[in-house]
């Protein structure tokens, strides 16, 4: 059984992403580890000269966070039940400390396979889609992360088509095999996009071998000649009604540029599409 880590602050955005975590767990025969953490403020005893009062404040803060945690656990189980996913195994963690440090600790201790996170709260479209916490975690962990923007809503049979941007590098194959299994369990189509920026590019032999290798898994490949990478991805998402877009971590500089480009209207629309970020297989 695989393991999914789902960090949450119990917000509406996080609860929305939780439904994606549950469905991914169902598709990959995984259990979900729900993580809620908080940070203690730094309080000084210099002004009061009464360290025992500071300790009382710390105890009160911890108790308030824990009371909220206990109140929210039944609500999350109810969400699973409402989506007919109550059979997904849930384990809850309540931790004090910095989010990234706790996530890295749990990944190591529990051997986590995936992370699912809701993203929101930033001003720029790029950060609105990816989220500052998500970018920080993405840059510091090596397991796949499903980033779910707050505008993305999961309904029954919602993931019908999964997209994957590939450079036809050998290091992409592990990610394609991983997503192909997820697509099969979800009953979704799986389409790979390869963007050509040079008409003289010698790619046909490589492409044909990839088509032959992945055809038994139901994977189809689509190429486009276009120097405008951003436009190519948008057209691909629109033309094939992509519900989840997969990318390799090495491409994040491109996607950060993509989600902060001048195509603001298109970006606002595509902020409804979750992004699955996978590490590059070395």
């Amino acid at each position: 059984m695989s393991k999914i880590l789902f960090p949450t602050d119990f917000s509406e955005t996080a609860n929305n992403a939780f439904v994606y975590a549950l469905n991914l767990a169902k598709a990959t025969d995984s259990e979900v580890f729900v993580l809620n953490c908080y940070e203690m403020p730094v309080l000084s005893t210099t002004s009061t000269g009464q360290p025992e009062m500071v300790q009382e404040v710390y105890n009160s803060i911890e108790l308030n966070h824990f009371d909220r945690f206990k109140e929210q656990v039944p609500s999350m189980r109810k969400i699973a039940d409402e989506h007919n996913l109550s059979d997904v195994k849930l384990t809850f963690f309540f931790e004090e400390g910095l989010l990234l440090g706790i996530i890295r600790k749990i990944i190591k201790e529990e051997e986590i396979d995936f992370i699912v996170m809701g993203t929101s709260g930033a001003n720029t479209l790029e950060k609105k889609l990816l989220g500052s916490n998500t970018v920080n975690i993405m840059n510091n962990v090596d397991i796949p992360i499903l980033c779910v923007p707050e505008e993305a809503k999961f309904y029954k049979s919602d993931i019908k088509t999964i997209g994957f941007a590939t450079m036809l590098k050998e290091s992409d194959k592990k990610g394609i095999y991983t997503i192909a299994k997820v697509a099969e369990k979800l009953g979704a189509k799986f389409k790979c996009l390869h963007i050509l920026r040079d008409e003289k590019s010698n790619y046909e032999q490589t492409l044909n071998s990839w088509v032959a290798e992945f055809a038994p898994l139901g994977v189809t490949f689509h190429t486009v000649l276009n120097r405008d990478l951003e436009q190519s991805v948008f057209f691909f998402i629109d033309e094939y009604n992509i519900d989840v877009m997969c990318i390799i971590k090495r491409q994040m500089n491109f996607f950060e540029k993509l989600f902060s480009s001048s195509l603001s209207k298109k970006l606002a629309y595509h902020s409804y599409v979750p992004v699955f970020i996978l590490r590059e297989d070395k």
Side-chain angles (χ1 to χ4, degrees):
M1 178 174 284
S2 300
K3 298 178 180 179
I4 295 172
L5 179 61
F6 176 70
T8 180
D9 58 0
F10 303 120
S11 64
E12 184 176 344
T13 296
N15 288 342
N16 178 57
F18 183 52
V19 180
Y20 279 85
L22 292 170
N23 279 277
L24 178 61
K26 187 80 170 181
T28 57
D29 189 25
S30 301
E31 58 181 312
V32 178
F33 291 78
V34 180
L35 168 65
N36 175 243
C37 65
Y38 66 99
E39 296 179 35
M40 280 291 192
V42 178
L43 302 177
S44 172
T45 62
T46 304
S47 57
T48 64
Q50 296 177 305
E52 66 278 0
M53 291 185 61
V54 174
Q55 187 58 50
E56 288 179 7
V57 172
Y58 279 140
N59 291 340
S60 176
I61 292 173
E62 183 176 27
L63 183 60
N64 287 336
H65 281 287
F66 185 60
D67 284 343
R68 183 165 183 261
F69 173 76
K70 289 192 299 181
E71 290 173 358
Q72 292 297 327
V73 169
S75 298
M76 300 196 74
R77 294 193 183 278
K78 182 179 179 182
I79 291 173
D81 186 57
E82 290 173 347
H83 290 82
N84 297 315
L85 294 165
S86 57
D87 56 332
V88 174
K89 183 180 178 181
L90 299 176
T91 300
F92 290 86
F93 285 92
F94 177 70
E95 300 271 355
E96 185 273 323
L98 297 175
L99 179 61
L100 177 59
I102 293 171
I103 284 178
R104 294 179 70 175
K105 176 176 73 81
I106 293 177
I107 287 174
K108 182 178 180 180
E109 292 177 352
E110 301 295 339
E111 299 181 335
I112 300 296
D113 298 287
F114 302 99
I115 296 175
V116 178
M117 296 185 66
T119 62
S120 69
N123 293 325
T124 67
L125 284 168
E126 169 204 335
K127 290 182 178 178
K128 186 177 182 182
L129 181 71
L130 298 177
S132 56
N133 269 335
T134 307
V135 171
N136 188 32
I137 292 167
M138 174 195 68
N139 288 331
N140 288 280
V141 302
D142 289 324
I143 62 175
I145 304 175
L146 177 61
C147 308
V148 183
E150 59 186 333
E151 293 89 349
K153 300 297 181 183
F154 193 103
Y155 302 102
K156 186 175 181 181
S157 302
D158 207 35
I159 300 180
K160 297 178 180 178
T161 308
I162 299 176
F164 192 110
T166 178
M167 295 174 65
L168 298 181
K169 294 178 63 175
E170 285 294 316
S171 55
D172 290 2
K173 286 187 175 181
K174 183 177 179 180
I176 294 177
Y177 276 112
T178 297
I179 299 302
K181 292 178 182 178
V182 175
E184 181 183 12
K185 291 290 185 67
L186 289 171
K189 297 177 182 177
F190 184 17
K191 299 180 180 295
C192 288
L193 169 68
H194 178 58
I195 302 171
L196 298 172
R197 303 186 71 177
D198 184 352
E199 191 172 3
K200 298 179 181 180
S201 176
N202 185 17
Y203 75 97
E204 291 187 1
Q205 184 175 354
T206 300
L207 178 62
N208 290 337
S209 68
W210 281 54
V211 169
E213 179 175 348
F214 291 103
L217 300 179
V219 182
T220 58
F221 287 83
H222 307 265
T223 59
V224 60
L225 176 62
N226 193 336
R227 290 186 176 274
D228 189 331
L229 300 180
E230 295 95 331
Q231 188 181 70
S232 298
V233 172
F234 291 142
F235 285 168
F236 177 70
I237 291 173
D238 284 338
E239 183 175 358
Y240 296 104
N241 296 315
I242 301 299
D243 299 302
V244 175
M245 190 67 196
C246 304
I247 61 175
I248 301 295
K249 184 185 290 188
R250 66 161 185 275
Q251 297 167 294
M252 281 314 301
N253 288 339
F254 158 63
F255 271 82
E256 287 170 3
K257 175 186 175 184
L258 176 68
F259 292 122
S260 58
S261 73
S262 60
L263 301 175
S264 57
K265 290 184 179 180
K266 277 186 170 291
L267 285 170
Y269 172 76
H270 290 103
S271 66
Y272 287 82
V273 179
V275 178
F276 211 145
I277 302 165
L278 300 97
R279 68 176 178 178
E280 184 175 14
D281 189 37
K282 303 298 184 180

